[in-house]
């Protein structure tokens, strides 16, 4: 019974540790993402890829998805692209449009599917080709890039770590209690074994005296 409790306790520790690590990683990444966008108005890239909330230049959601784009990928006509929009009123100034052509002035002509308009951008403002939409991540990223959102995710990461420390201290305390119980049981077993051995020896001694 005691061994079963110990196995269950070990399994719970591993499960809680993994869950804690995942949550802290997610909350920390979101907090870092928000802080970075607040400072730079665009997301950081990892291995040439980045994500951003799918908003228009008026900071209104186009869809409730996030958009993944890849840098240094020359798009073809009709490909969705991510571009830096200086006119965007949102915190993140990365918007999505469709590539049309090079405009011959060292820049590109894009097409806005929402307004049906063509417009030109500078070459350096084309960030890359939009390759994937991540459902329901748009509102999460939109919240993360606000000051309250960044702070909230940072506090969540700290709170999860604090709760894990409390759990770990409780686990250590329970483990020590189980160890004390095991040692006490071992002492009792040794005492009973010694008592039985002494009783058996006394009985043999009485038999010899007879």
């Amino acid at each position: 019974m005691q061994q079963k409790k110990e196995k269950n306790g070990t399994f719970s520790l591993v499960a809680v540790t993994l869950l804690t690590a995942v949550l802290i990683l997610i909350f920390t990444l979101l907090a870092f993402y928000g802080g970075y966008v607040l400072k730079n108005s665009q997301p950081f890239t990892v291995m040439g890829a980045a994500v951003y909330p799918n908003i228009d230049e008026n900071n209104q959601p186009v869809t409730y998805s996030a958009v993944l784009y890849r840098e240094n990928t020359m798009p073809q006509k009709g490909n969705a692209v991510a571009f830096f929009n200086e006119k965007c009123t949102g915190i993140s100034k990365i918007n999505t449009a469709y590539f049309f052509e090079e405009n011959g002035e060292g820049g590109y002509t894009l097409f806005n599917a929402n307004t049906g308009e063509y417009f030109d951008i500078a070459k350096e403002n084309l960030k890359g080709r939009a390759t994937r939409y991540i459902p329901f991540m748009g509102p999460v990223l939109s919240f993360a890039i606000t000051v309250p959102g960044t702070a909230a995710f940072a506090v969540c990461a700290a709170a999860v770590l604090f709760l894990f420390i409390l759990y770990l201290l409780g686990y250590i305390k329970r483990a020590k209690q189980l160890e004390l119980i095991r040692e006490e049981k071992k002492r009792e077993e040794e005492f009973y074994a010694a008592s039985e051995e002494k009783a058996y020896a006394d009985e043999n001694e009485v038999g010899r005296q007879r």
Side-chain angles (χ1 to χ4, degrees):
M1 184 69 176
Q2 186 174 342
Q3 290 180 346
K4 185 177 180 180
K5 288 183 179 180
E6 291 177 358
K7 288 182 180 179
N8 289 339
T10 302
F11 176 79
S12 298
L13 176 63
V14 172
V16 171
T17 301
L18 290 176
L19 178 61
T20 300
V22 170
L23 289 176
I24 290 177
L25 178 62
I26 291 173
F27 290 141
T28 302
L29 283 175
L30 287 171
F32 180 76
Y33 178 90
Y36 189 93
V37 175
L38 281 169
K39 182 179 179 180
N40 300 284
S41 299
Q42 58 184 324
F44 59 88
T45 60
V46 178
M47 299 179 65
V51 293
Y52 61 94
N54 192 17
I55 57 173
D56 61 21
E57 67 177 25
N58 297 315
N59 199 30
Q60 298 300 313
V62 178
T63 66
Y64 291 101
S65 301
V67 184
L68 172 71
Y69 77 84
R70 292 196 172 278
E71 290 185 317
N72 304 319
T73 304
M74 188 62 192
Q76 303 295 321
K77 184 176 181 179
N79 288 158
V81 294
F83 71 100
F84 187 86
N85 187 358
E86 297 173 352
K87 298 179 181 179
C88 182
T89 60
I91 298 171
S92 172
K93 297 187 181 299
I94 303 297
N95 291 151
T96 307
Y98 292 90
F99 187 81
F100 184 66
E101 63 182 5
E102 295 187 43
N103 60 20
E105 300 177 0
Y108 303 106
T109 299
L110 305 183
F111 174 71
N112 187 329
N114 297 318
T115 63
E117 298 176 346
Y118 293 89
F119 60 97
D120 294 330
I121 63 168
K123 185 176 182 179
E124 61 270 16
N125 285 343
L126 183 67
K127 294 301 177 181
R129 186 163 63 89
T131 58
R132 183 173 300 176
Y133 291 87
I134 307 172
F136 310 115
M137 274 298 293
V140 176
L141 296 184
S142 293
F143 177 64
I145 62 178
T146 63
V147 174
T150 299
F153 284 121
V155 169
C156 285
V160 171
L161 178 60
F162 177 73
L163 291 174
F164 176 71
I165 291 173
L166 291 180
Y167 171 82
L168 191 59
L169 292 174
Y171 177 86
I172 293 172
K173 183 179 179 180
R174 290 191 299 272
K176 288 182 177 179
Q177 290 175 342
L178 288 173
E179 182 64 25
L180 290 174
I181 293 172
R182 185 164 51 247
E183 290 178 357
E184 181 65 25
K185 186 176 180 180
K186 183 179 179 181
R187 283 195 296 268
E188 289 178 358
E189 290 175 349
E190 290 176 349
F191 175 78
Y192 289 137
S195 298
E196 290 177 358
E197 185 177 346
K198 185 176 183 303
Y200 180 75
D202 291 343
E203 184 178 341
N204 288 339
E205 182 65 25
V206 171
R208 283 196 300 271
Q209 290 177 359
R210 290 178 182 177

